[in-house]
Amino acid sequence: MSRQLSVIGTGVIGNGWIARALARGWDVVAFDPDPEAPARTRAFVDNAWGSLERLGLAEGASPQRLTFVDSLEAAVQGADLIQENVPERLALKREVLAALDAAAEEGVVIGSSTSGFKPSDLQHDCPRAPGRVIVAHPFNPVYLLPLVELVGGEATEPGHIERAQALYQALAMRPLVVRREIEGHIADRLMEALWREALHLVNDGVATTEEIDAAVVYGCGLRWSLMGTFLTFHLAGGEQGMRHMLEQFGPALKLPWTKLEAPELTDELIDRVVEGCEHQAAGRPVAELDRRRDDFLVELLDLVHKYWPEAEGLEGRI
């Protein structure tokens, strides 16, 4: 039985959802008020399709299963899942989510791609069925990276999250249910901490953007493709694991090595960051860098699938 994803807002994230759903053999109905959106989305899907083919398409997968409609109300008709991707402005998201709640069929989950807002704030203007409005936060490129953070709000019941988990798993995603709503959820809070430290290192003249990225690419980033922070540090403790690591290195956490507050974004710092990134890009357009990143991720995903928990027989693990 075919499923339908309704996508509201077709920027980079919305288009990523579209490409992923098409690759999984879903029908996609999209709405974006920008008259240029359909052409932009089809070009996006064309650029991503080669990577999706190498990763493996579901039966019936086709870019031809994408339809654009001229209203939000038309977009949600027949939806199995609705994904909202409008710009990160709370008032705008509330307005759009309220309209979606009013128009969508009863019981259909409405996921917001918000990277920072709490679901209770998003549910605020949805009197009909606020509990079905949840955070469903993906990562770019959405069509390749499998993580989606699911966060319920004050009105959300366990059944809403359970339905959402099943639907996102059908899109070949790995849902991570966040136990308690918090601004920025989990992954973005971690990435923001690293981002702040990186800006301080540039601002203080310690390293260039290229040198900081190299520290991640050739060091911790390689480990993070398989093991996160905690398991990595567990191994650092040797045979005694995390307990020994904390006993030996824990006191260093009190040393002033890091600066959690972001530096002031002065014109000078902005120029240094922009110039550094342009140097790293070396004149290559973003579309070319996208394809290079995607080629890498397809090969990497093929490798890490062999080492993820289910490959070891650890079913039910994230």
Side-chain angles (χ1 to χ4, degrees):
M1 182 179 70
S2 67
R3 286 184 163 128
Q4 176 185 314
L5 176 68
S6 295
V7 175
I8 310 301
T10 58
V12 171
I13 299 302
N15 284 337
W17 280 114
I18 288 171
R20 173 174 282 273
L22 292 172
R24 300 310 303 166
W26 286 39
D27 294 316
V28 178
V29 180
F31 169 70
D32 191 304
D34 183 353
E36 303 297 325
R40 187 175 58 238
T41 294
R42 296 186 193 283
F44 183 100
V45 171
D46 286 345
N47 196 53
W49 203 252
S51 296
L52 289 164
E53 285 179 321
R54 293 196 299 278
L55 197 60
L57 300 175
E59 184 178 354
S62 170
Q64 303 306 314
R65 297 181 73 166
L66 168 62
T67 303
F68 268 84
V69 293
D70 58 7
S71 73
L72 175 152
E73 290 76 14
V76 302
Q77 297 308 305
D80 292 285
L81 175 64
I82 300 167
Q83 193 72 29
E84 170 271 310
N85 315 280
V86 303
E88 198 79 348
R89 299 197 298 274
L90 183 57
L92 175 61
K93 283 190 177 289
R94 280 181 172 175
E95 178 185 350
V96 171
L97 289 166
L100 290 171
D101 181 46
E105 295 175 14
E106 186 176 349
V108 178
V109 171
I110 303 171
S112 173
S113 294
T114 179
S115 59
F117 295 131
K118 295 192 295 185
S120 291
D121 294 333
L122 298 173
Q123 296 171 349
H124 187 269
D125 296 331
C126 300
R128 183 180 174 215
R132 63 171 169 174
V133 177
I134 66 170
V135 166
H137 174 233
F139 294 83
N140 188 43
V142 182
Y143 52 90
L144 294 181
L145 296 185
L147 182 64
V148 58
E149 295 177 308
L150 302 182
V151 195
E154 293 173 0
T156 302
E157 299 175 357
H160 294 122
I161 295 296
E162 290 168 6
R163 286 202 301 276
Q165 281 182 282
L167 286 163
Y168 288 106
Q169 285 170 343
L171 286 169
M173 303 204 80
R174 299 179 85 93
L176 172 60
V177 178
V178 180
R179 295 169 181 266
R180 193 180 76 189
E181 61 177 333
I182 185 174
E183 293 89 346
H185 325 312
I186 296 174
D188 270 3
R189 294 178 75 92
L190 297 173
M191 291 190 295
E192 282 289 325
L194 182 60
W195 173 232
R196 290 187 185 99
E197 292 302 314
L199 287 175
H200 275 295
L201 292 170
V202 173
N203 193 53
D204 296 344
V206 175
T208 66
T209 62
E210 183 176 44
E211 291 160 352
I212 293 166
D213 282 358
V216 175
V217 169
Y218 304 120
C220 53
L222 289 172
R223 297 185 304 203
W224 287 343
S225 294
L226 178 63
M227 297 179 180
T229 303
F230 284 99
L231 195 55
T232 294
F233 282 153
H234 178 67
L235 271 61
E239 290 298 322
Q240 297 177 55
M242 179 60 81
R243 185 169 299 280
H244 178 64
M245 198 287 298
L246 289 173
E247 290 171 352
Q248 184 170 0
F249 299 107
L253 294 173
K254 296 295 185 181
L255 298 176
W257 285 0
T258 60
K259 303 176 181 179
L260 288 181
E261 292 187 4
E264 188 70 27
L265 278 178
T266 62
D267 289 342
E268 180 184 2
L269 177 55
I270 291 172
D271 288 343
R272 288 166 71 178
V273 171
V274 170
E275 290 167 6
C277 291
E278 289 176 348
H279 171 75
Q280 290 177 260
R284 292 167 292 177
V286 169
E288 180 181 337
L289 294 173
D290 279 346
R291 288 192 296 273
R292 179 175 173 81
R293 175 203 62 197
D294 291 356
D295 288 344
F296 169 78
L297 287 174
V298 168
E299 292 189 39
L300 180 63
L301 286 166
D302 186 53
L303 171 64
V304 295
H305 281 158
K306 302 174 185 176
Y307 293 89
W308 279 352
E310 58 269 27
E312 297 182 88
L314 299 174
E315 296 296 336
R317 300 293 182 90
I318 302 172

